[in-house]
Amino acid sequence: MNRNNIIADVLLEHNEIIPVLNRFGIRLGVGDKTILELCDEHSLNPDFILAILNVYLDENYLPEASLSLFDAESIADYFQSTVESYIHELIPNIGKHLNAFIAISAPGNEELGMLNNLFVKFKDKMTEHLQNQTLFDDDFPYELLHDLKNILIRHLSKELNQNLLYAIIFSVHSFEKDLTIHNRLREKILRPKLNELDSTGIRHLHHAITGEHAQQHPAQHAHQLTNREEEILRLIVRGYLNKEIAEKLHISHNTVLTHRKNIISKTGIKTVSGLTFYAIRRGLISM
């Protein structure tokens, strides 16, 4: 794939990269624009986008030659956006399909109740792992997804709604595949980039991904948020990604990152759930 490819043609053949583009703030309705045109429109680095997409689509693709063309902060932002999309989009999507399946098939069915409990345990474990991992750790525990899919395929009654059952399996499979590719992206893009950095650069990248710098200045936690930071906080808890916030407020992506780091530093809170609680307590948003 290259920067002159029309993105709609690529998406027609590879639907699976739609959520990847969403993480960069690119939504459907792309017309006949090329990858380069879309990158210019969204102030994105086309070399970085192409590296992500090519690694995503081709397990044998090696982006080594292009690594020096994009900065470490772009990598950090992509991986952070990916984790956010897993927690707030892909995992809840599985839950929505499962709830619909149970509601229509047999709401009081004990077998389905046990299946729902299994999913809740999986969701809690995966969410905890995603929130706590630093992206330098081992692969995501996507074997949990394989087990869930295996139960759906092998161990449920044949009388249950097959169409909705397929919808759950498809959403599980999509997440499972995305996690596998995410691990590949980490090995082919994140780790090689780390090898280019000195110890200071590695600490900077690590802080950019984990938000650990928020713990280094506890005296700032009580500081008031500025009007702009409150505005950005409202968008964060409403589910907007960094790129989307930049577009909505007509500011640069780096400015959004700076404000987001300041919000974490001042509140001492890293997760969207925690920030939502903070925003409600402070009257910044309503229930």
Side-chain angles (χ1 to χ4, degrees), residues 55-271:
V55 170
Y56 200 97
L57 294 175
D58 182 4
E59 62 180 322
N60 297 315
Y61 177 79
L62 296 174
E64 296 173 0
S66 62
L67 280 175
S68 60
L69 298 177
F70 43 85
D71 60 273
E73 195 161 12
S74 295
I75 299 175
D77 183 51
Y78 172 77
F79 277 89
Q80 184 183 51
S81 295
T82 300
V83 169
E84 288 177 0
S85 74
Y86 287 166
I87 294 174
H88 301 294
E89 295 173 13
L90 271 67
I91 294 176
N93 186 52
I94 297 172
K96 288 176 184 177
H97 287 302
L98 180 60
N99 290 335
F101 170 67
I102 293 174
I104 292 177
S105 298
N109 185 291
E110 184 176 344
E111 178 185 24
L112 296 185
M114 293 173 61
L115 179 65
N116 186 60
N117 290 337
L118 176 65
F119 170 73
V120 170
K121 289 181 181 179
F122 153 73
K123 180 182 70 173
D124 291 344
K125 264 191 173 182
M126 181 63 78
T127 301
E128 180 183 6
H129 180 83
L130 290 168
Q131 289 175 332
N132 294 334
Q133 56 87 35
T134 64
L135 302 179
F136 303 101
D137 299 333
D138 295 332
D139 287 356
F140 289 116
Y142 55 87
E143 68 276 1
L144 295 171
L145 278 174
H146 173 77
D147 288 347
L148 182 60
K149 187 170 66 174
N150 197 33
I151 289 172
L152 291 168
I153 292 173
R154 291 177 179 270
H155 303 296
L156 290 184
S157 171
K158 296 177 182 179
E159 287 72 34
L160 296 173
N161 189 300
Q162 295 294 298
N163 287 333
L164 288 175
L165 188 56
Y166 171 72
I168 305 170
I169 293 170
F170 182 79
S171 62
V172 170
H173 175 73
S174 297
F175 187 27
E176 185 180 40
K177 183 177 180 180
D178 203 290
L179 282 172
T180 302
I181 296 171
H182 183 81
N183 289 327
R184 189 162 77 225
L185 284 167
R186 194 186 64 232
E187 291 301 316
K188 292 191 175 184
I189 290 183
L190 180 61
R191 291 192 189 279
K193 191 65 179 180
L194 288 175
N195 293 334
E196 294 182 358
L197 303 176
D198 57 20
S199 58
T200 301
I202 291 176
R203 283 197 301 273
H204 175 73
L205 176 60
H206 188 271
H207 292 167
I209 296 176
T210 64
E212 283 187 357
H213 56 286
Q215 299 178 358
Q216 298 173 0
H217 305 288
Q220 296 180 1
H221 289 177
H223 289 183
Q224 276 306 106
L225 299 181
T226 66
N227 290 337
R228 178 62 98 181
E229 287 166 354
E230 289 182 354
E231 187 176 24
I232 289 174
L233 175 59
R234 291 188 188 97
L235 294 175
I236 291 172
V237 301
R238 286 170 58 192
Y240 283 78
L241 300 178
N242 293 332
K243 301 289 185 183
E244 295 171 317
I245 294 173
E247 292 174 10
K248 189 173 182 65
L249 300 181
H250 305 293
I251 57 179
S252 73
H253 176 252
N254 286 336
T255 299
V256 174
L257 289 176
T258 298
H259 284 306
R260 189 159 188 153
K261 291 173 184 176
N262 289 339
I263 291 169
I264 292 174
S265 179
K266 290 180 179 181
T267 64
I269 300 171
K270 301 177 186 178
T271 66

